[in-house]
Amino acid sequence: IYDPGAASQTIGTLPVSLPDGTLLVVFTQLDEAAGGATSATLRVVRSTDRGVSWSAPVTIATSESVGTKDPATGQAVRDGSDLASATADRASVVHVAWQDARPNGGARDAIVASRSTDGGRTWSAPVRVSGGAGAAAFMPNVQVRADGTIGVGYYDLRSDTADPATLQADYW
């Protein structure tokens, strides 16, 4: 439904259905720049006619994830850093959560979230939703209960030890 063009791709496409029948697809767009660097942008496309036609992509935010590393060994953790989580509530407020290093000055990933109160047309600035600022957070999952309570689950490494033979992650 969306072709990002040459030297670009999409990953983590998530369908979200709003109560009025509007369909959204949230995804991460990866764009390769000269020299091989890759940028990641969270985007959404919308359909108000059950998928017959789709809007141009709307940018939610750039993704500034640095990925998760084992603090003891420096080895990369397979964390899905390019993947977001998305959901909508009964009032058509759309919530998206993802890994991002902005809250930690680029040192390690935290979990951030953004929301749209107009069906995905505009988005709030990302805000940190994970605790444990001294440890990497990864693999977010956002859901909304029927009563409107928003929950964001994620893993983090705040309980990890200096033992290079183990990697202790907690789910919050």
Side-chain angles (χ1 to χ4, degrees):
I1 60 176
Y2 169 66
D3 180 357
S8 296
Q9 64 178 319
T10 63
I11 189 169
T13 54
L14 299 167
V16 177
S17 179
L18 302 184
D20 69 359
T22 299
L23 301 175
L24 305 178
V25 176
V26 176
F27 58 91
T28 303
Q29 182 172 324
L30 303 174
D31 297 303
E32 186 176 332
T38 301
S39 64
T41 307
L42 292 161
R43 304 185 93 182
V44 62
V45 291
R46 305 175 72 249
S47 175
T48 57
D49 57 10
R50 295 187 152 94
V52 174
S53 63
W54 294 88
S55 71
V58 173
T59 296
I60 299 168
T62 59
S63 175
E64 298 183 17
S65 175
V66 294
T68 306
K69 293 189 178 4
D70 181 329
T73 66
Q75 184 175 1
V77 174
R78 188 171 183 179
D79 64 0
S81 61
D82 290 328
L83 305 176
S85 178
T87 192
D89 65 21
R90 291 180 177 186
S92 295
V93 177
V94 186
H95 305 272
V96 177
W98 68 95
Q99 285 177 230
D100 202 294
R102 272 180 281 222
N104 296 315
R108 72 189 72 66
D109 284 349
I111 304 303
V112 299
S114 177
R115 71 180 185 156
S116 173
T117 59
D118 61 5
R121 292 178 194 88
T122 61
W123 294 85
S124 67
V127 295
R128 179 193 191 108
V129 296
S130 59
F138 53 101
M139 295 183 66
N141 182 10
V142 61
Q143 294 293 318
V144 180
R145 290 189 341 192
D147 68 2
T149 301
I150 303 163
V152 179
Y154 58 91
Y155 292 92
D156 77 19
L157 300 177
R158 72 179 85 175
S159 296
D160 191 34
T161 67
D163 181 356
T166 65
L167 180 64
Q168 296 179 2
D170 294 314
Y171 188 75
W172 298 90

